[in-house]
Amino acid sequence: FRPVHRTTYENHIVWKMLKLVPDLTSQLTDGHLKTLSKSVISETWVKGSTVVGNEGFYVILKGLARPLTKVYKHLIEGNEAKSSLKSQSFQNLFYNEDFRNSIVPEMYLGSHDSMLKQWNTFGTLEVSPQAASETQAYTVVTEDDCEILKISAKEYAKIKSEKLKLENMQKEQLIRKCPYYVEWPTLSIYELIALIKWKKFPPGHVMVESGNIISYVAYINSGYCNIYRSIIGLVKLPPNKVKKIRKLVYMGKLKEKESFGEISVLLGVPFTCTVITGTEVEVAIIEDTDLY
């Protein structure tokens, strides 16, 4: 079915199918796959068809196909028969404008060893200008009647753009809700957004230890951190001896929509407290090198 005719249950089945393709799961997040499952289409190609995958990423669901590759031969008469085969990597084809040193491509069917079968893939998710796409053929020839799943490169670019907008909005809202940034101008906040990375830390993780300079600024999106001050106490030991020990005394919490690390990073001042996660914590961080 075309995407518009699919039910929610059928889109769920497509999503489960996409998760079976290593070339997709190794490069795209589960969220991306779930969103893409709502827009992929299935195409049927009869035996002997030439399928050009310039406009999307293709997954073979049924049948066999063989890559159509390019052999490059030098035009200069008398040159050694130097040629190179571009096989399943389907890399760009470039021409040298100087006729005397140029090369001519010839289309060549890959060997049976390079045959593409069920769950194998070809094509690209990169959107290229038309001029470039004419020289960038991700092409196969079907050896059987084939059913092929197509993920549109333009649809993927649209999803990436929408996802980036949503993430930037979340980052902006997080920073604006932190007390130190309430009156910051929008342009300055956007500069920070471009540097932010999301990270998660487990409970009991030492974010920064007293006496150390932290290497990032952190904005807490979820969870909380406990703050401890390190003090030296005296403990009596028999007979009439005293021993110094270092203790961590609980001072309070850093909660959601609070930030820390700015002064330490910018001024190179060591932290006077130890900060330890009390729960799993998701933070937006800016590394010191990026902040500089």
Side-chain angles (χ1 to χ4, degrees):
F1 294 116
R2 292 282 170 175
V4 70
H5 296 138
R6 286 203 297 263
T7 65
T8 301
Y9 176 72
E10 287 167 340
N11 283 331
H12 182 76
I13 293 175
V14 175
W15 169 53
K16 291 288 188 182
M17 186 186 300
L18 295 180
K19 293 176 71 172
L20 297 175
V21 185
D23 285 345
L24 290 175
T25 56
S26 64
Q27 300 177 66
L28 301 179
T29 66
D30 195 52
H32 270 141
L33 292 179
K34 186 172 288 188
T35 306
L36 284 172
S37 68
K38 300 173 184 177
S39 61
V40 299
I41 61 174
S42 176
E43 299 179 340
T44 301
W45 295 82
V46 298
K47 181 179 178 179
S49 298
T50 299
V51 186
V52 179
N54 289 21
E55 297 181 351
F57 193 77
Y58 295 75
V59 181
I60 296 179
L61 301 179
K62 182 181 178 182
L64 299 173
R66 209 187 302 188
L68 194 62
T69 58
K70 296 181 180 69
V71 174
Y72 301 93
K73 293 185 177 179
H74 287 267
L75 287 178
I76 303 175
E77 188 177 351
N79 260 13
E80 294 181 11
K82 297 177 181 178
S83 64
S84 60
L85 178 66
K86 303 286 186 181
S87 61
Q88 291 182 36
S89 60
F90 301 119
Q91 296 181 12
N92 290 356
L93 167 64
F94 295 98
Y95 292 96
N96 188 326
E97 294 181 359
D98 183 353
F99 177 82
R100 291 180 55 82
N101 295 313
S102 64
I103 52 180
V104 169
E106 291 185 3
M107 303 311 292
Y108 171 80
L109 268 177
S111 68
H112 282 281
D113 292 337
S114 64
M115 195 79 74
L116 302 178
K117 53 186 183 296
Q118 187 180 36
W119 306 126
N120 285 160
T121 61
F122 63 98
T124 177
L125 281 178
E126 296 297 325
V127 178
S128 301
Q130 186 62 33
S133 67
E134 291 174 359
T135 60
Q136 185 180 355
Y138 301 80
T139 307
V140 302
V141 176
T142 57
E143 293 283 308
D144 303 311
D145 291 347
C146 288
E147 185 179 354
I148 302 176
L149 202 69
K150 177 185 176 182
I151 302 172
S152 168
K154 289 184 179 178
E155 188 65 29
Y156 176 63
K158 179 181 174 183
I159 290 170
K160 280 204 305 182
S161 176
E162 290 175 351
K163 187 172 185 291
L164 180 61
K165 287 180 183 177
L166 180 60
E167 284 185 354
N168 286 344
M169 189 184 302
Q170 291 172 337
K171 292 173 183 177
E172 181 184 357
Q173 289 174 349
L174 173 58
I175 294 176
R176 285 191 183 280
K177 289 180 180 178
C178 292
Y180 297 141
Y181 301 86
V182 172
E183 297 182 3
W184 268 46
T186 300
L187 288 178
S188 296
I189 290 180
Y190 281 173
E191 287 189 44
L192 296 183
I193 287 173
L195 304 175
I196 278 179
K197 301 170 186 174
W198 292 107
K199 281 199 174 182
K200 286 186 178 180
F201 296 97
H205 178 81
V206 179
M207 301 288 286
V208 59
E209 196 168 354
S210 176
N212 293 338
I213 299 174
I214 195 169
S215 61
Y216 54 82
V217 174
Y219 307 87
I220 302 176
N221 189 49
S222 64
Y224 67 88
C225 298
N226 292 318
I227 306 171
Y228 300 90
R229 185 176 291 278
S230 178
I231 64 169
I232 295 176
L234 300 176
V235 176
K236 289 185 178 181
L237 297 174
N240 298 323
K241 289 184 178 180
V242 175
K243 180 182 179 181
K244 289 184 178 180
I245 61 168
R246 186 177 294 276
K247 298 176 64 176
L248 290 178
V249 178
Y250 175 74
M251 302 295 291
K253 289 182 180 179
L254 284 166
K255 302 184 290 294
E256 291 181 10
K257 310 304 181 284
E258 292 187 320
S259 65
F260 62 94
E262 294 92 340
I263 302 300
S264 180
V265 169
L266 293 174
L267 301 183
V269 178
F271 253 63
T272 57
C273 297
T274 295
V275 179
I276 302 175
T277 56
T279 60
E280 180 180 79
V281 172
E282 182 183 43
V283 294
I285 69 165
I286 303 178
E287 302 283 357
D288 53 2
T289 51
D290 292 332
L291 202 59
Y292 297 147

